[in-house]
Amino acid sequence: MTKGTYSFTTPIYYVNAAPHLGTAYTTVAADTVARYQRMNGYDVAFVTGMDEHGQKVADTAASKGMPPQAWCDSMEPAFREAWDMLGITYTDFVRTTEPRHARTVQKFWGDLHDRGYCYKDSYEGWYCVHEETYYAESDLEKNEEGQLVCPDCKRPVQRMSSGEENWFFRLSDFQQPLLDFYASHPDFIRPETRRNEIVAFVEGGLKDLSISRSTFDWGVPLPFDEGHVAYVWADALLAYLTGIGYGDDEKRAGEFEARWPMQYHFVGKDITRFHCVIWPAMLMAAGLPVTHTVFGHGFLLTKGEKMSKSKGNGVMPADLVEVFGVDAYRYYFMTDVQFGQDGNISMERMVQVYNADLANTWGNLVSRVFNMTKKYFDGRVPEALVNVPGMDNPLAAVAAELYGTYDECMAQVDFTGAAAAVQKLAEAANLYVEQAAPWTLAKDPAKADQLAFVMYNLLESIRIIALYMAPFMPNTSAEVCRRLGLADPALVEDIQAATVWGQLPAGNAVEVGDPLFPRLDTDAISLEE
Ligand code: MSP
């Protein structure tokens, strides 16, 4: 019995370049949610994939001297391998060039056409290939050479020939319905700052959206006019439906109905407008409910600037994983930058967080307690004594509060808050070691019960911390549990029940093992090198 479905997406990423820290950021965040909500009893769908159509990818393929399909195929391993390296547990990986996705696009737009939401007209205006976005001349800026440039990426824009006939979606019909929807669904756009931006944008008026191109053919043909391919965003957004069975409705009968609307789309703040204006309007036009929340996270910055390859500050995830390991990578990005806000990242800061939270707090706790278990109890979990005169157990009280705080933070995708709640128990346990001083108790045979009581409390805290850390650091948690003679926490289906105090079996063999997080030298290389 599950608590129900819990479904969400990352953007599907353009295949013009391999995954970088920015795309890995959203993907790790979604994976943290996936891992937690599975342990919390939900039936999770986590959709990611590759955005393969459109001019940007076609141009990249041409510059590599490859046909676009061959180029896209060649990029799939880079994405799959990066996500495997980071321990990403997606449930579907949608490629927009797959036949099942073409079926989604054709079914969806065919339906909108039948409902009267599409019409043909000529388009005049500007296009930014990098952003795959149309702009009116009044939106554009000028660069130092006087060229018209994209207001977002500042690259020169292309003039769309006035002769090009396009299909349009009646987006302007949805201005008021969207504003009403935002007002009645305060959680639709988060965080709040993004919501204000979107509301102001829609209040400023909406133009109909060109949803097709006829001057090139790298896309899904529209079912009602085969000479036109779908505009890349009119194609890509629909991957969210494909990922839960919409284009495969015979093979995956009932899945779409069970999972739509989804709980979340996780996106970067630069693409919230597509997700909060165009996408809900498309869904409304199709008569489908709208996703519960679009969460627009901030940018990762190095020295205050957005990272990008062209600025030369595009460190790859594998570079950092090599130094810190996967779990510390995930922990750092999920906790040190508050999800929703921009955040500066640096190698120095990563070393600091690693040493403070992982080496000195969590790793140190496990190492001390396991070593003492070996020394005082022959490497076995002692009996769980409930009442030992003169002794109290402050850790059970901290642990009892944990589910409520952690679950609330995770539901709100406040990863920083969730991890801080777990760290509180680890800190309390380290303090308890100091205060209870097992090494002193061990010297007095009359205090054997007290020693057993203290050590059991510490080992049980470690078990509970491992479970709550598992969504962030799945490998370390599995290893800690293994050393305690327990199953992989990823198999837990009711974390609330599994973390009720006192379930660590007495007598389990405890393996000391190597340090989980050996301390790192602060002189480690900086990101810019
Ligand atoms: N293909 C579209 C999405 C279509 S979804 C239906 C796309 N692809 S992308 O490859 O450009 O994806 C970029 C994603 O990575 C965006 O969510 C963007 O915000 C994110 N990031 C790119 N650089 C980033 C940082 N420096 N920091 C955090 N995330 C940033 O857009």
Side-chain angles (χ1 to χ4, degrees):
M1 253 306 272
T2 68
K3 286 184 182 167
T5 58
Y6 204 96
S7 308
F8 47 88
T9 64
T10 69
I12 53 162
Y13 303 112
Y14 289 128
V15 293
N16 57 313
H20 49 76
L21 295 186
T23 45
Y25 182 54
T26 332
T27 313
V28 169
D31 189 64
T32 306
V33 175
R35 287 176 180 271
Y36 173 62
Q37 296 301 355
R38 281 188 199 111
M39 293 177 76
N40 196 27
Y42 285 96
D43 171 12
V44 164
F46 164 12
V47 177
T48 188
M50 307 200 309
D51 193 353
E52 306 182 25
H53 289 133
Q55 213 169 325
K56 173 149 101 171
V57 171
D59 289 355
T60 305
S63 73
K64 309 277 175 189
M66 285 169 87
Q69 186 66 60
W71 167 254
C72 295
D73 293 347
S74 77
M75 290 303 286
E76 184 178 356
F79 280 86
R80 296 239 190 219
E81 283 162 19
W83 301 156
D84 287 351
M85 175 190 69
L86 293 170
I88 307 300
T89 56
Y90 51 80
T91 57
D92 202 334
F93 184 97
V94 179
R95 294 187 53 178
T96 54
T97 53
E98 288 177 82
R100 62 175 178 148
H101 181 66
R103 286 196 293 276
T104 299
V105 174
Q106 296 197 330
K107 182 168 148 182
F108 189 93
W109 284 110
D111 186 31
L112 258 55
H113 180 257
D114 293 346
R115 289 167 174 252
Y117 286 113
C118 302
Y119 65 93
K120 207 171 185 178
D121 204 349
S122 65
Y123 180 79
E124 279 209 52
W126 300 87
Y127 194 74
C128 171
V129 176
H130 183 76
E131 301 291 330
E132 296 280 20
T133 304
Y134 300 96
Y135 292 100
E137 191 149 335
S138 54
D139 297 330
L140 301 176
E141 294 175 9
K142 274 199 178 146
N143 66 10
E144 282 167 7
E145 289 94 64
Q147 283 171 306
L148 288 171
V149 295
C150 167
D152 295 310
C153 72
K154 319 289 178 202
R155 290 174 173 82
V157 286
Q158 279 183 358
R159 177 86 193 147
M160 300 271 292
S161 77
S162 53
E164 183 173 342
E165 284 238 296
N166 286 352
W167 281 91
F168 282 80
F169 166 53
R170 296 188 190 280
L171 182 62
S172 59
D173 285 8
F174 292 89
Q175 181 182 14
Q176 199 50 49
L178 283 170
L179 290 170
D180 294 345
F181 181 78
Y182 303 150
S184 58
H185 295 77
D187 279 344
F188 175 58
I189 310 171
R190 291 190 41 224
E192 187 75 19
T193 42
R194 312 262 183 275
R195 181 186 153 76
N196 300 339
E197 287 160 18
I198 296 290
V199 170
F201 173 76
V202 174
E203 279 172 348
L206 292 176
K207 294 201 184 66
D208 288 347
L209 175 75
S210 163
I211 52 143
S212 79
R213 301 294 304 272
S214 57
T215 51
F216 72 94
D217 61 3
W218 185 234
V220 179
L222 291 180
F224 44 87
D225 192 346
E226 296 266 323
H228 288 247
V229 294
Y231 162 52
V232 62
W233 277 98
D235 161 346
L237 288 160
L238 295 169
Y240 300 152
L241 308 187
T242 302
I244 53 168
Y246 182 88
D248 257 338
D249 44 8
E250 278 171 29
K251 268 196 264 159
R252 294 167 70 167
E255 189 180 337
F256 178 74
E257 292 71 18
R259 294 199 177 277
W260 194 265
M262 290 187 167
Q263 269 74 12
Y264 276 110
H265 296 309
F266 298 117
V267 301
K269 64 178 182 178
D270 52 334
I271 56 173
T272 38
R273 203 179 277 183
F274 295 97
H275 286 81
C276 296
V277 181
I278 297 174
W279 182 227
M282 282 166 63
L283 291 166
M284 286 174 185
L288 287 170
V290 173
T291 308
H292 190 267
T293 299
V294 173
F295 195 99
H297 66 69
F299 283 149
L300 301 176
L301 312 170
T302 53
K303 299 209 166 135
E305 281 195 27
K306 186 185 172 198
M307 296 169 326
S308 71
K309 276 208 146 165
S310 53
K311 290 195 189 113
N313 55 2
V315 173
M316 299 307 257
D319 303 332
L320 296 178
V321 167
E322 205 179 304
V323 180
F324 295 94
V326 181
D327 282 19
Y329 177 107
R330 294 173 57 112
Y331 181 84
Y332 171 73
F333 284 98
M334 288 303 99
T335 60
D336 204 41
V337 177
Q338 177 72 46
F339 203 56
Q341 291 167 17
D342 289 350
N344 273 300
I345 56 164
S346 72
M347 201 76 144
E348 291 78 2
R349 180 71 193 144
M350 238 177 132
V351 173
Q352 269 173 17
V353 171
Y354 175 98
N355 283 338
D357 289 13
L358 304 184
N360 295 349
T361 306
W362 178 213
N364 185 38
L365 175 69
V366 171
S367 157
R368 291 165 101 183
V369 173
F370 285 13
N371 270 303
M372 288 191 286
T373 309
K374 184 176 168 198
K375 200 161 162 194
Y376 307 138
F377 292 94
D378 220 9
R380 299 262 163 201
V381 176
E383 215 53 55
L385 303 170
V386 184
N387 281 319
V388 177
M391 300 291 283
D392 59 353
N393 176 9
L395 302 181
V398 180
E401 300 277 302
L402 197 43
Y403 177 79
T405 313
Y406 184 98
D407 182 62
E408 174 61 21
C409 289
M410 280 298 207
Q412 300 299 318
V413 290
D414 172 8
F415 303 111
T416 308
V422 192
Q423 282 294 353
K424 210 171 123 190
L425 180 56
E427 283 157 14
N430 271 325
L431 190 68
Y432 186 66
V433 173
E434 296 303 326
Q435 289 172 343
W439 47 88
T440 309
L441 299 173
K443 285 187 190 138
D444 182 353
K447 295 196 168 146
D449 276 3
Q450 297 183 16
L451 179 63
F453 180 78
V454 167
M455 290 305 298
Y456 185 89
N457 292 342
L458 287 166
L459 288 162
E460 175 62 346
S461 299
I462 289 176
R463 182 187 73 85
I464 292 172
I465 295 166
L467 294 191
Y468 284 112
M469 280 299 188
F472 296 94
M473 298 190 286
N475 305 300
T476 310
S477 286
E479 175 60 10
V480 170
C481 286
R482 193 193 63 74
R483 292 184 192 180
L484 280 171
L486 303 172
D488 188 335
L491 301 172
V492 166
E493 289 176 355
D494 182 350
I495 194 169
Q496 184 175 17
T499 53
V500 169
W501 189 268
Q503 296 179 60
L504 177 64
N508 266 21
V510 178
E511 182 186 318
V512 174
D514 292 334
L516 297 171
F517 301 102
R519 271 187 70 85
L520 283 173
D521 192 349
T522 353
D523 297 336
I525 22 129
S526 84
L527 272 181
E528 283 68 39
E529 282 168 326

